[in-house]
Amino acid sequence: MPRVMASVVMFVLAFRAAAYAQESQAPQSRRFAVDTVVGYQNYATDYPDWTAQYVFDAFTTAEIHKHWQATFRPKVWRMRNEWHLLIDQASVQTEFHKGSNWRIEAGRFPVPIGLGMTENRADLNGGMIWWHRAYYMPIPFLGADVPRLSLMSAVYPSGVQVSTSAGHWDARGAVVDLSPIEFWREPAGVSRSPNGILGGGVSPWQGFRVGIAGAWGEFAAPTETRGGLGYSMANVEGEYAFKYSKVSGEWTRDRIETSTGDRRSSGWTVQWQQTVTPRLFVHSRASLLHSPEVSRNGPFTVTERTYRSIDTTIGYRLSPTLTVRLGHSSMKSWTTGTSDQQAGVSLMWTNRWW
């Protein structure tokens, strides 16, 4: 009962906050905007970590000067029976045109590498599950002095990024204080050294884009017995939209330094979304990851592990702001030989307030 009451209170507060944002804005002003997403997600599974999840996600933008704006994105997320307050974005950015379109952003923002980060929000993600699984899952154990890592991670570092684009190309570069392979829930205390990210893409025609990106730096600070541990990441992504369909995917490869030698992890994700009617859509996402695992006890051994998942979703827009989704997931973890079958449901309400 206390958990149910907490959930009800959370949703009431979420809707009251959104309503207040709308009422507080003058009708003629468009210098301040709030996009809100309230979501519920639940899987029928025996895993204790997959309890019902709730999220209240608010993306706020405010014009502070001509060509300058501030962004702020707080998120309240209930997962594993705990409430978490996260600040996914707090930055200042400016845009201008000089030969091409330019944008400079400083502060805290999504790490600018990986297809999954462009969809790391319930209203931008076509699946029942709100995120790409690989971004919130650690890879196997690589050594006692190696922190938890992911093939690619949904981290929100602080730093500076510069991006530019024209009709058929785009490019970006960033210096940030967290590596894109550090597990997203890793506590403070790991390396905060600079990480470099470069990327770009081409769009030969409307609806089609191919991009490449790379990142490098340190993910673990030096200790008394070794120096800092570094990494390098390569990422290739693409998307193709035609008629009422969209296909997208990415491939990632990491080289990870450890005190017992370099390890290499790789994987890919492919997804497809089809709009059947203006209200009905289907979505499917498949991921396959490979990574070594170092033995924790006994003789030193390195074993190759594989993870795979397929998430399939049917979504229906009850209204322009409310969507219900039914989903099925088939998931094989790193250390098991069989796939676990799960079914679930999610509800999402979203609205933009001026």
Side-chain angles (χ1 to χ4, degrees), residues 59-73:
F59 186 81
T60 304
T61 60
E63 184 180 350
I64 55 179
H65 195 270
K66 185 178 181 180
H67 303 304
W68 287 84
Q69 68 177 14
T71 60
F72 183 61
R73 184 187 171 192

Side-chain angles (χ1 to χ4, degrees), residues 47-279:
Y47 288 98
D49 286 347
W50 283 96
T51 53
Q53 299 192 35
Y54 303 86
V55 68
F56 171 58
D57 196 337
F59 186 81
T60 304
T61 60
E63 184 180 350
I64 55 179
H65 195 270
K66 185 178 181 180
H67 303 304
W68 287 84
Q69 68 177 14
T71 60
F72 183 61
R73 184 187 171 192
K75 181 168 68 178
V76 179
W77 193 0
R78 179 189 182 274
M79 52 185 169
R80 297 181 177 89
N81 294 318
E82 296 179 351
W83 292 98
H84 300 263
L85 174 61
L86 309 171
I87 305 298
D88 283 351
Q89 192 159 353
S91 65
V92 176
Q93 58 183 263
T94 181
E95 298 180 353
F96 58 91
H97 181 85
K98 192 171 183 180
S100 59
N101 299 315
W102 291 84
R103 186 179 70 179
I104 302 174
E105 184 173 13
R108 182 179 177 88
F109 46 79
V111 63
I113 185 171
L115 177 67
M117 293 307 293
T118 65
E119 302 177 347
N120 199 38
R121 183 177 163 123
D123 61 329
L124 301 178
N125 201 309
M128 198 211 83
I129 189 169
W130 298 326
W131 58 87
H132 290 216
R133 288 185 182 272
Y135 286 71
Y136 286 89
M137 179 185 61
I139 60 176
F141 179 77
L142 295 182
D145 59 343
V146 178
R148 296 179 77 187
L149 303 175
S150 294
L151 177 68
M152 54 207 115
S153 185
V155 292
Y156 290 83
S158 298
V160 178
Q161 65 171 328
V162 179
S163 59
T164 181
S165 64
H168 296 286
W169 60 270
D170 59 86
R172 65 188 181 278
V175 177
V176 297
D177 66 348
L178 284 175
S179 78
I181 67 169
E182 292 185 18
F183 184 60
W184 79 280
R185 291 193 67 189
E186 188 66 39
V190 296
S191 177
R192 286 278 177 174
S193 60
N195 293 262
I197 299 174
L198 291 175
V202 294
S203 303
W205 59 83
Q206 185 177 3
F208 178 58
R209 179 184 179 275
V210 176
I212 60 173
W216 65 95
E218 287 190 352
F219 64 87
T223 66
E224 296 180 356
T225 59
R226 58 153 177 79
L229 298 178
Y231 74 96
S232 61
M233 170 191 281
N235 178 269
V236 180
E237 64 182 44
E239 64 177 48
Y240 180 46
F242 56 99
K243 294 185 178 180
Y244 302 105
S245 300
K246 181 179 178 180
V247 180
S248 59
E250 68 178 333
W251 172 85
T252 303
R253 184 177 186 273
D254 299 337
R255 181 192 61 82
I256 303 169
E257 291 183 356
T258 76
S259 58
T260 58
D262 291 356
R263 309 291 171 221
R264 288 171 172 78
S265 301
S266 63
W268 55 261
T269 293
V270 175
Q271 60 181 359
W272 162 73
Q273 181 165 337
Q274 176 71 46
T275 299
V276 181
T277 71
R279 291 179 179 266

Side-chain angles (χ1 to χ4, degrees), residues 281-301:
F281 65 90
V282 294
H283 178 276
S284 185
R285 179 186 298 127
S287 295
L288 180 64
L289 313 179
H290 303 280
S291 186
E293 181 180 33
V294 174
S295 56
R296 294 176 181 267
N297 302 301
F300 176 81
T301 58

